[in-house]
Amino acid sequence: MKSGRTVVSSLVPCRSGAAIGGFPSRLHRGGGMDTAPTVSWLEKLIPQAWHDSLTLFVALTAACAALLYLLRPETRKSTLRSLLAAAIALVVINLGPQDGQAVAEWVKQVAIIVLGLALIRLWAMMLMRLFLPLLRLHPPRILEDILLVLGCVGWGLVLLRLAGLDLSHIVTTSAVITGVLAFSMQDTLGNILAGLSLQLDNSVEVGDWIKSGELSGRVVEINWRATLVETRNWETVVIPNSQLMKGQFAILGKHQGAPLQWRRWVWFNINWDTLPNQIISVVERSLREAQLPGVALSPEPNCILMGFENGYSKYAVRYWLTDLAADDLTDSVVRTHIDAALRRHNLKMSSPHYNVLTIKDNEKYMEARMKKHLEERVQALRKVELLSSLNDEELVVLADQLKFTPFVTGDIIMHQGAVAHWLYIMLNGEVEVWVNLPDGSRKLVDVLEGGNFFGEMGLMTGEARSGTVIARSNVECLRLDKESFQSILSSRKELAEAISSILAERLAERTRKLPQDWQEGHGSPQRAELVDKIRRFFGLAKH
């Protein structure tokens, strides 16, 4: 490095009446040019008498920075970057262009600015991370940032003042700008002030384990905007400082005058056959003799009877955890030792006991229930006009064969043209009966409610469905199959004639509801014809 005088000579070209450092030369009061050499702001910044002191200051800074690099490994990257910036600035100042042109002057001015910023950065780190810790003072990290910002602002004001600007106007303008920024950056400023408060009052420090709501982890950094928390799941959660200050959080394991330890609870249940004193003695002696890793020796682990529930005694082991990052793992180790200690003394853990009231279905109960259902079905069959000729015994036989069949709104119960040998007896609800016409349209011919029946032609003659039945609401039906009716008709062949008469009347009534052209093409079958179809379908011989 050149001497201080060489630095000044390279920085300050002495040309009368020329623009120096990008700023115009002064004019003489008489209106002419001043013939005296103009003093640049760089020469004001570094007077001739300070050259040797500046060299000594730079050397002292380099020595202290080397010490900081060796003693504080976490600052090495920042220290190297600042030293590199200062070195480049010094090279430009000493070895830069010397022709006094405006470009060369601007380059040197920028180098001076960078040198100042680098030195401020280095001294802020050395003060906060080297000198004060040697005096056993550990200021919060955010104070270093504040000191750095103030130093940079001060350096900028010095440069502006030496350049000839009036700082009073800057202060007035900056006050207005500051007010506007403060209004528009309320959240950001709130986080900054909250972060400063957190560190100044030592309410939470880097390294503390905290719990806020469901979040639990270790604080790794408190910066201007947020607090960074590392969880046990290897996640880094960013909490805004203002949110942390407004809410409630717990600092885990922190007790005045005690080492970092956090009390944990492990629960287990034992039946009532063993005295609680025996269980407590066995568990405590086992844990104290084991000296498990992560479990503090003082206070010692203890076992407590917590209550009686559902046929067992509820116990808890309380121990103090020394490694807060290994909470679940240490809990597991403690549980394992508790289980082993109990097994060695033939003590078994218990599960909850419950008294369940059950009703045993006996023959009388089942008989009464079946009789009730059977009576309900017989009453439903009596409402079916088609089965009015059956006696009580025959109705009971059919009732026992009925199958409960529910439908919900919109279900298609039967399709027109489909073949199905079922009769539906409606208990409740409503259904619509639709018929497809030759022109492709369809017509609503009937709406049936609870107590009605449909599908009788399919059951008695085996013919395809003459209409489509759709559930208008939730419908409950009882379904009667052909096989259930077969035995009754086989024993009473005269029923076919009675049933055929009813079928003929129902078909005639339904046909009258259809258009005239449909009636002409689909005449209703006569009673004799229906009797013959029923006999053929059920395989009944004529008598």
Side-chain angles (χ1 to χ4, degrees):
M1 179 178 176
K2 295 184 180 181
S3 67
R5 298 182 181 274
T6 306
V7 172
V8 171
S9 63
S10 63
L11 288 176
V12 187
C14 297
R15 288 188 179 183
S16 178
I20 302 177
F23 298 96
S25 61
R26 299 177 181 177
L27 297 178
H28 199 273
R29 286 187 177 181
M33 297 298 294
D34 191 356
T35 57
T38 303
V39 180
S40 70
W41 67 277
L42 292 178
E43 189 175 11
K44 293 179 182 179
L45 180 63
I46 310 176
Q48 191 73 20
W50 291 7
H51 292 164
D52 295 336
S53 300
L54 177 61
T55 303
L56 180 62
F57 177 75
V58 172
L60 177 62
T61 302
C64 292
L67 189 61
L68 176 67
Y69 181 88
L70 293 176
L71 298 180
R72 296 290 183 266
E74 70 275 6
T75 66
R76 288 178 178 176
K77 290 185 178 180
S78 300
T79 302
L80 285 177
R81 285 196 294 263
S82 300
L83 285 174
L84 181 61
I88 294 175
L90 286 173
V91 170
V92 173
I93 292 172
N94 286 275
L95 302 179
Q98 305 294 329
D99 54 2
Q101 295 180 357
V103 175
E105 289 299 321
W106 275 109
V107 172
K108 292 180 181 180
Q109 290 173 22
V110 171
I112 286 289
I113 295 172
V114 172
L115 176 61
L117 294 177
L119 294 178
I120 292 171
R121 172 72 172 170
L122 287 171
W123 277 101
M125 287 193 297
M126 289 187 293
L127 178 63
M128 293 295 177
R129 306 192 194 186
L130 182 62
F131 301 143
L132 291 181
L134 291 177
L135 299 176
R136 296 184 179 181
L137 298 176
H138 300 280
R141 172 67 182 277
I142 199 169
L143 287 183
E144 178 184 333
D145 298 333
I146 294 175
L147 180 62
L148 179 60
V149 171
L150 293 177
C152 294
V153 172
W155 176 239
L157 293 177
V158 169
L159 295 179
L160 292 175
R161 183 67 184 91
L162 293 176
L165 297 179
D166 188 356
L167 297 182
S168 60
H169 297 296
I170 297 177
V171 171
T172 303
T173 305
S174 63
V176 177
I177 297 175
T178 302
V180 175
L181 291 177
F183 181 76
S184 60
M185 301 175 62
Q186 295 182 38
D187 293 339
T188 302
L189 292 176
N191 288 328
I192 293 174
L193 295 177
L196 186 59
S197 300
L198 284 173
Q199 298 204 35
L200 289 179
D201 62 8
N202 293 325
S203 57
V204 63
E205 300 176 352
V206 174
D208 285 346
W209 284 84
I210 67 171
K211 183 177 182 180
S212 177
E214 297 297 327
L215 173 67
S216 177
R218 184 172 62 91
V219 177
V220 294
E221 183 181 346
I222 304 175
N223 54 39
W224 288 89
R225 189 186 68 84
T227 298
L228 275 63
V229 178
E230 287 183 353
T231 68
R232 297 179 180 87
N233 297 328
W234 287 30
E235 300 168 340
T236 300
V237 181
V238 180
I239 306 176
N241 290 329
S242 59
Q243 178 179 337
L244 198 62
M245 285 291 293
K246 293 178 182 178
Q248 179 182 359
F249 62 91
I251 302 178
L252 305 181
K254 200 169 186 179
H255 188 71
Q256 192 69 27
L260 182 65
Q261 295 177 168
W262 184 27
R263 190 171 71 174
R264 301 284 294 172
W265 296 74
V266 175
W267 303 82
F268 63 97
N269 305 323
I270 301 292
N271 57 38
W272 290 340
D273 298 337
T274 308
L275 292 175
N277 290 339
Q278 296 179 1
I279 297 172
I280 292 173
S281 175
V282 168
V283 172
E284 287 185 349
R285 184 171 63 253
S286 173
L287 293 176
R288 292 170 183 175
E289 292 175 354
Q291 296 187 5
L292 305 177
V295 178
L297 299 177
S298 178
E300 294 181 337
N302 52 54
C303 182
I304 303 173
L305 175 61
M306 300 300 295
F308 304 97
E309 297 181 8
N310 298 327
Y312 61 84
S313 300
K314 190 173 184 179
Y315 295 86
V317 166
R318 301 186 306 180
Y319 74 93
W320 276 256
L321 178 67
T322 58
D323 184 4
L324 273 63
D327 53 347
D328 292 336
L329 177 61
T330 310
D331 286 351
S332 177
V333 172
V334 171
R335 292 190 187 97
T336 302
H337 279 264
I338 293 174
D339 179 71
L342 294 175
R343 290 177 185 273
R344 287 196 301 270
H345 292 81
N346 295 322
L347 299 173
K348 296 182 179 181
M349 293 189 183
S350 176
S351 57
H353 294 271
Y354 299 97
N355 294 324
V356 181
L357 178 62
T358 61
I359 299 177
K360 183 179 181 181
D361 288 340
N362 51 32
E363 294 181 359
K364 292 184 178 180
Y365 173 76
M366 291 297 296
E367 183 180 352
R369 190 173 68 173
M370 292 298 295
K371 183 178 180 181
K372 179 180 178 181
H373 286 297
L374 190 61
E375 290 177 353
E376 293 175 350
R377 295 188 176 195
V378 169
Q379 293 298 326
L381 289 175
R382 284 198 175 102
K383 296 179 181 179
V384 179
E385 183 184 5
L386 188 68
L387 307 177
S388 59
S389 301
L390 301 180
N391 57 36
D392 291 344
E393 184 179 352
E394 291 169 340
L395 288 176
V396 170
V397 173
L398 284 182
D400 192 47
Q401 303 296 322
L402 295 177
K403 181 178 180 182
F404 180 72
T405 311
F407 299 93
V408 297
T409 304
D411 278 348
I412 299 179
I413 302 175
M414 295 189 325
H415 288 273
Q416 182 175 339
V419 177
H421 310 147
W422 301 327
L423 168 70
Y424 290 97
I425 304 170
M426 293 179 59
L427 299 178
N428 53 59
E430 289 185 345
V431 298
E432 299 174 348
V433 181
W434 294 81
V435 173
N436 296 328
L437 301 178
D439 60 0
S441 62
R442 67 174 187 167
K443 178 179 176 60
L444 177 64
V445 297
D446 208 351
V447 175
L448 305 178
E449 298 180 350
N452 282 286
F453 61 94
F454 54 90
E456 63 276 7
M457 289 298 294
L459 172 68
M460 302 307 299
T461 66
E463 292 184 356
R465 302 300 191 187
S466 59
T468 299
V469 180
I470 302 175
R472 175 179 280 189
S473 64
N474 293 338
V475 179
E476 293 181 358
C477 296
L478 295 175
R479 193 179 74 185
L480 179 62
D481 299 337
K482 173 191 173 184
E483 291 76 12
S484 302
F485 209 61
Q486 180 80 43
S487 59
I488 295 177
L489 285 181
S490 298
S491 60
R492 292 185 57 193
K493 299 180 176 61
E494 67 275 9
L495 287 176
E497 296 183 3
I499 292 173
S500 63
S501 298
I502 299 174
L503 287 179
E505 293 177 3
R506 284 179 61 88
L507 287 175
E509 181 182 357
R510 184 170 300 173
T511 303
R512 286 194 295 269
K513 297 179 181 180
L514 296 174
Q516 188 65 31
D517 55 347
W518 175 267
Q519 297 181 23
E520 294 176 356
H522 298 78
S524 299
Q526 298 300 317
R527 177 174 174 272
E529 184 181 353
L530 288 174
V531 172
D532 187 54
K533 287 184 178 180
I534 293 173
R535 288 174 175 172
R536 285 200 307 268
F537 182 63
F538 284 94
L540 304 176
K542 293 182 180 181
H543 57 85

